[in-house]
Amino acid sequence: MRCAEILRPDSVIIENVPGVLHEAHGVLQTAIKHLRRLGYSVSYGIVSMKDIGVPQKRRRMVLLASLAAKVDIAETMEAFKSSARPISWACSDLLGRYDQGDLFNSSATHSETN
């Protein structure tokens, strides 16, 4: 929230585990209050990521906030609805790019398994 306060981006997207909705310290509720106090329109909900083309089956809590427009998580999900994608869609371009000397194209522990 401090980043939004200082940088004032037009939009903020926060993604987390669904359990954050019921987290004991009210982190999500605090973030929502803070964003609204800063003038953001805020909407959030539990999203099945595969419904928007993310190659995973996990459900996530997604919060959208905007200074530029009213946001609605259900409308946004509908607008970006996509068919399910396999993990190969996300990773196939990585094959053959392994480079032990490149921080972003190598594993932390260089071994045959990795």
Side-chain angles (χ1 to χ4, degrees), residues 3-112:
C3 192
E5 183 178 2
I6 292 170
L7 299 177
R8 303 290 293 171
D10 288 338
S11 301
V12 175
I13 300 173
I14 298 173
E15 170 270 330
N16 208 322
V17 296
V20 75
L21 289 174
H22 309 292
E23 187 270 331
H25 300 288
V27 188
L28 180 63
Q29 294 73 18
T30 301
I32 291 167
K33 278 188 222 175
H34 192 68
L35 286 165
R36 287 186 174 145
R37 212 173 312 129
L38 292 171
Y40 285 88
S41 167
V42 179
S43 183
Y44 65 95
I46 303 301
V47 171
S48 176
M49 299 306 278
K50 68 181 172 115
D51 292 343
I52 56 172
V54 178
Q56 65 178 243
K57 296 179 181 178
R58 294 186 296 175
R59 293 166 33 101
R60 306 295 284 172
M61 184 291 303
V62 175
L63 177 144
L64 305 175
S66 175
L67 287 172
K70 184 179 182 307
V71 290
D72 182 286
I73 190 75
E75 289 176 11
T76 303
M77 288 297 297
E78 189 58 37
F80 288 94
K81 197 165 195 132
S82 175
S83 56
R85 293 178 175 147
I87 191 68
S88 60
W89 173 86
C91 300
S92 62
D93 63 329
L94 299 176
L95 296 173
R97 293 191 59 183
Y98 186 87
D99 178 353
Q100 187 169 336
D102 183 345
L103 176 66
F104 297 109
N105 288 309
S106 65
S107 56
T109 304
H110 308 296
S111 70
E112 193 60 38

